[in-house]
Amino acid sequence: MRAVLGAFLVVLLGLACGRFVVASPAGEYQIKAAYLLNFARYVEWPAARLPPAQALRVCVLGRDPFGGALSALEGRQVNGREVRVRQLEGADQAGDCHVVFIAESEERRLAPMLRTLASRGLLLVSDIDGFAEAGGGIGLVTEDGRVRFDINQASLQRDGLRASAQLLRLARSVHGARAP
């Protein structure tokens, strides 16, 4: 438990600075798991999609790269909601999810998958190259040994989601931003 709390503090500090140093593939996915949790803290869903007392469901679509890092978040609290983690067999099972991480194993099917999941009120996150530019919500990027992220604001808006100004400022880049 102490290790998870320590990793969480490192993640919070990293979000404040906007970057993390990646030590190993296992460490990289611990960081990415923590990012998923923090994205959920700084993104708002419509009340009809995520009612006040409902658990926040974080789902993985494709081959799970997280090992135990994501399951360690099970039961944690995000904005007063309990986190539930679930592995999906296909995009058709994503209906009760709120955050969907699309694994690299799904890269070949990415375009049809994004079309299937669009406008369903899901925060779509992946570390597939060019994910945000392709229409995903948040793309995780490892750059110079650091985990960063890109946001496709138009995709978030299409899905009825709103990223906080803090999250937008921390992004490496924001695509599809609408003029104020």
Side-chain angles (χ1 to χ4, degrees):
M1 184 65 173
R2 256 194 176 151
V4 172
L5 288 174
F8 187 70
L9 283 175
V10 168
V11 169
L12 288 177
L13 290 172
L15 271 179
C17 298
R19 54 180 75 179
F20 289 99
V21 175
V22 177
S24 69
E28 176 182 351
Y29 279 96
Q30 282 184 313
I31 291 166
K32 289 178 179 181
Y35 262 111
L36 291 178
L37 193 69
N38 281 302
F39 291 151
R41 292 183 199 284
Y42 294 99
V43 170
E44 288 181 36
W45 281 260
R49 178 71 179 109
L50 187 56
Q54 187 175 23
L56 179 82
R57 286 184 285 286
V58 177
C59 301
V60 176
L61 184 54
R63 196 173 321 119
D64 184 355
F66 293 97
L70 198 57
S71 60
L73 302 178
E74 180 85 24
R76 300 287 306 264
Q77 294 286 313
V78 171
N79 300 334
R81 301 171 191 283
E82 189 172 0
V83 174
R84 293 283 167 223
V85 177
R86 182 172 159 217
Q87 177 69 41
L88 304 176
E89 298 298 320
D92 58 321
Q93 296 178 339
D96 66 342
C97 299
H98 300 102
V99 178
V100 177
F101 180 86
I102 301 174
E104 194 172 352
S105 64
E106 304 306 298
E107 186 171 11
R108 282 183 307 123
R109 296 179 287 279
L110 184 61
M113 194 172 291
L114 287 174
R115 283 191 299 273
T116 298
L117 297 173
S119 301
R120 293 179 64 185
L122 304 169
L123 176 58
L124 302 176
V125 181
S126 182
D127 57 1
I128 294 172
D129 286 340
F131 183 73
E133 295 91 335
I138 300 178
L140 295 169
V141 180
T142 303
E143 179 181 75
D144 298 327
R146 300 173 188 276
V147 176
R148 310 271 322 271
F149 61 93
D150 298 330
I151 295 177
N152 186 324
Q153 191 170 12
S155 293
L156 294 180
Q157 290 170 342
R158 170 203 67 210
D159 293 326
L161 307 175
R162 194 177 74 168
S164 73
Q166 289 174 298
L167 188 62
L168 293 171
R169 271 194 306 274
L170 291 173
R172 182 181 78 151
S173 64
V174 178
H175 306 280
R178 294 185 182 158

